[in-house]
Amino acid sequence: MDATTVVIFGASGDLARRKLIPALYGLHRKGRLPPRFHLVGAARSSATDETFRQRARDGIAEFAELEPQSWTTFEEQIHYLHGDFATADGAKGLTRFLDQLGQAAGGDHNVLFYLSTPPEAYVGLVESLGQAGLLRQSKGYRRVVIEKPFGSDLASARELNAAILGHVHEDQIYRIDHYLGKETVQNVLVLRFANSIFEPIWNRNYIDHVEITVAEAVGIEHRGRFYDDVGVLRDVFQNHVLQLLTMAAMEPPASFDPEALRDERRKVLESIRPIGEDLAVQETVRGQYAGYQDEEGVAVDSQTATFGAIRLFIDNWRWQGVPWYLRSGKAMSEKTTQIAVQFKSVPHLMFPLAPHETIRPNALFLCLQPDEGIHLRFEVKVPDSLREFRSVDMEFHYDEDFGPAAIPDAYERLLLDALNGDASLFMRADAIELGWSWIDPICRAWDAGALPLLSYDRGTWGPSAAGQWLAADGRTWSMGCGEHRQ
Ligand code: BG6
């Protein structure tokens, strides 16, 4: 029987402790890991198997649920190897170690390399693995999982793709955007394509506009040095926000084949109308929360944006003329990720309205986190009134129907897919490059200070100008998912 080993580079880092190891343990508990499984933590710092296992155990206890019996069997499969794996010596040590595991296994030996190091290390590592022959697929598969950020602009993303593709084929690469691993993000496709009532109205004939919000209550926490170089556009818009957009906007693929899905997502990215540097002033808003410049690791005169709003159009038959308003920010009122689909008003209203009365158009809110669910807003008659109307929400909440622990962490799903060779929820090289080519001019305009950096207080919904900017289009930001909490 084949053996499978996951090697995590950067194993002493935060991501491994908080996400990757707890996710692998979660899969172990559910009996979903392949048989004869090994986890090798690889990093520069010296540690023993024992200390690494202890650290893994602490991480699982803190970020997941540790269950003694399954931990004992999981622990036996964990090893630690220290060294500089971007050098020939380091790669040799790793080769020896993997050979031992492979020989003990007898049959073929599959290896999944997970790059969870700082991005500067990616190319050196892949080159060194390639030169050592560790990426050659003769006895079992060799796959490489790469964490975001994937480049910092189009040119660097292209370089990175070219360097990596010099050593592995595209079908061996799994570029992660953890938003695609979220259950609720995948459910956008199920809602649209496993039900017949939404798709006929999911277009420019019925939809007035779509809003995508990725709001976080936390600031930049301990990541000042990293964040100050990237800002909200590169950190969240180029990847997570674009993933939500492609899931909501794509055409139904003919099959659930990974390449068919990725082709449809690519077509959406190709259809986004470019926003040139000159248009960024009117199509975008940027802001920075008060106190950001005092955060550790941030320049005292930093002009990095922690909030952004963008209006975009998708030039195809389905979406022509429908504005998509995207916004994301740190230190906002609350953590909310939602897609709000705002429908058009009724074509003719037969009910006479009093001067102060309005009828709100229907809206569908896809609440992606933290209160996962779907809300549909429609008008009803207020009982015992002559003709008074009010909006109500029909709500589905995941935790009510499936229990509070039903939603696994995104990394569990993504790691399982990578082990199974299913790349549907990973980024192909073309999608990465299309995302960058769309956002690059906006980044350049922002970096050049072409539009004001508006200040906003922590715990608000961003600069008030973002509301006025939308109001100029006759619209307001909606809080469909959080409305009942306000
Ligand atoms: C990361 C960004 O990719 O996503 C962070 O670098 C952000 O800045 C995080 O906080 C948001 O992820 P989630 O899953 O908490 O919405």
Side-chain angles (χ1 to χ4, degrees):
M1 202 185 303
D2 297 353
T4 302
T5 297
V6 170
V7 179
I8 301 181
F9 295 107
S12 53
D14 222 31
L15 184 74
R17 197 173 80 90
R18 296 166 76 99
K19 296 286 184 187
L20 306 182
I21 297 172
L24 287 169
Y25 171 69
L27 292 172
H28 170 77
R29 270 188 80 177
K30 292 176 190 167
R32 292 184 182 167
L33 286 178
R36 318 188 77 178
F37 175 82
H38 294 277
L39 164 61
V40 177
R44 284 173 187 227
S45 47
S46 58
T48 61
D49 284 355
E50 285 325 305
T51 50
F52 183 62
R53 286 176 185 162
Q54 186 56 43
R55 204 176 128 78
R57 186 192 158 101
D58 294 347
I60 294 168
E62 190 176 345
F63 300 106
E65 203 188 319
L66 188 88
E67 189 258 315
Q69 210 176 340
S70 57
W71 165 254
T72 310
T73 46
F74 187 60
E75 174 180 46
E76 289 163 3
Q77 304 168 329
I78 302 181
H79 318 270
Y80 186 79
L81 195 65
H82 81 97
D84 181 353
F85 303 100
T87 64
D89 266 0
K92 221 183 273 168
L94 181 59
T95 309
R96 265 198 308 272
F97 195 79
L98 291 175
D99 280 351
Q100 278 165 19
L101 290 180
Q103 276 153 17
D108 285 356
H109 187 201
N110 302 315
V111 185
L112 183 91
F113 296 104
Y114 198 117
L115 308 194
S116 164
T117 59
E120 311 81 77
Y122 293 167
V123 172
L125 264 173
V126 172
E127 275 174 359
S128 153
L129 297 180
Q131 281 156 7
L134 281 168
L135 299 173
R136 224 174 293 127
Q137 316 201 79
S138 56
K139 288 179 122 205
Y141 68 67
R142 297 291 178 270
R143 296 182 186 140
V144 181
V145 182
I146 303 176
E147 260 301 323
K148 95 175 237 294
F150 200 90
S152 55
D153 57 13
L154 178 59
S156 57
R158 274 189 179 146
E159 263 175 43
L160 190 52
N161 271 331
I164 292 171
L165 286 164
H167 295 277
V168 275
H169 294 288
E170 178 64 41
D171 63 10
Q172 289 174 269
I173 308 177
Y174 293 74
R175 299 177 194 80
I176 282 218
D177 179 322
H178 76 281
Y179 264 54
L180 284 177
K182 289 183 190 279
E183 287 283 336
T184 47
V185 175
Q186 292 157 45
N187 193 46
V188 174
L189 291 194
V190 177
L191 178 86
R192 291 186 56 200
F193 304 138
N195 294 293
S196 59
I197 59 171
F198 299 109
E199 209 43 28
I201 55 169
W202 206 264
N203 56 51
R204 64 192 298 274
N205 298 326
Y206 295 92
I207 293 176
D208 178 73
H209 67 282
V210 184
E211 294 166 36
I212 298 182
T213 297
V214 177
E216 292 183 86
V218 292
I220 50 162
E221 298 178 297
H222 55 280
R223 298 164 73 223
R225 219 168 301 280
F226 160 78
Y227 194 87
D228 209 33
D229 279 343
V230 291
V232 69
L233 281 182
R234 295 179 177 92
D235 187 39
V236 170
F237 275 89
Q238 190 274 342
N239 33 69
H240 306 331
V241 176
L242 283 185
Q243 301 310 341
L244 302 183
L245 175 104
T246 54
M247 295 298 247
M250 69 189 253
E251 296 299 319
S255 71
F256 204 54
D257 173 71
E259 295 316 312
L261 280 160
R262 303 206 294 179
D263 284 347
E264 291 307 334
R265 292 210 301 267
R266 186 200 72 225
K267 286 182 206 161
V268 176
L269 294 169
E270 282 171 337
S271 314
I272 298 178
R273 190 181 302 167
I275 298 178
E277 268 176 78
D278 51 334
L279 286 181
V281 180
Q282 69 193 54
E283 299 304 317
T284 73
V285 178
R286 65 181 191 132
Q288 185 187 76
Y289 64 82
Y292 170 74
Q293 294 172 345
D294 304 327
E295 301 267 25
E296 194 196 322
V298 170
V300 286
D301 55 353
S302 170
Q303 294 299 294
T304 298
T306 59
F307 170 92
I310 302 179
R311 170 178 40 221
L312 70 72
F313 289 90
I314 300 172
D315 286 331
N316 62 19
W317 274 57
R318 186 188 284 267
W319 296 114
Q320 189 56 240
V322 177
W324 290 68
Y325 300 99
L326 320 176
R327 71 173 163 164
S328 179
K330 297 267 186 203
M332 293 180 67
S333 292
E334 58 182 76
K335 182 167 179 80
T336 297
T337 306
Q338 69 168 40
I339 302 174
V341 181
Q342 302 280 353
F343 291 92
K344 292 187 171 177
S345 304
V346 292
H348 166 70
L349 193 64
M350 65 180 230
F351 308 103
L353 293 182
H356 64 278
E357 260 186 320
T358 51
I359 282 222
R360 286 167 99 187
N362 298 124
L364 182 70
F365 300 100
L366 311 183
C367 309
L368 307 174
Q369 55 183 15
D371 181 9
E372 292 90 354
I374 295 170
H375 305 188
L376 178 64
R377 188 179 70 202
F378 52 87
E379 294 295 291
V380 295
K381 180 177 175 298
V382 174
D384 205 21
S385 71
L386 275 183
R387 49 163 191 276
E388 222 181 287
F389 307 108
R390 215 178 70 200
S391 304
V392 292
D393 260 12
M394 200 156 78
E395 299 188 5
F396 151 70
H397 295 269
Y398 267 89
D399 57 359
E400 281 170 13
D401 281 65
F402 299 104
I407 298 192
D409 190 80
Y411 279 95
E412 230 183 270
R413 170 63 194 262
L414 292 172
L415 278 161
L416 186 62
D417 280 2
L419 286 166
N420 288 337
D422 182 343
S424 316
L425 299 175
F426 294 84
M427 308 289 298
R428 221 166 42 188
D430 54 355
I432 294 264
E433 293 182 11
L434 282 163
W436 280 120
S437 69
W438 173 71
I439 211 148
D440 261 7
I442 308 176
C443 291
R444 282 199 296 273
W446 286 25
D447 291 346
L451 58 154
L453 181 66
L454 305 160
S455 179
Y456 63 97
D457 288 334
R458 288 188 85 115
T460 63
W461 286 105
S464 53
Q468 291 145 17
W469 171 80
L470 193 58
D473 277 6
R475 300 180 173 113
T476 50
W477 294 109
S478 57
M479 269 313 304
C481 296
E483 216 159 48
H484 57 286
R485 298 200 297 269
Q486 283 184 335

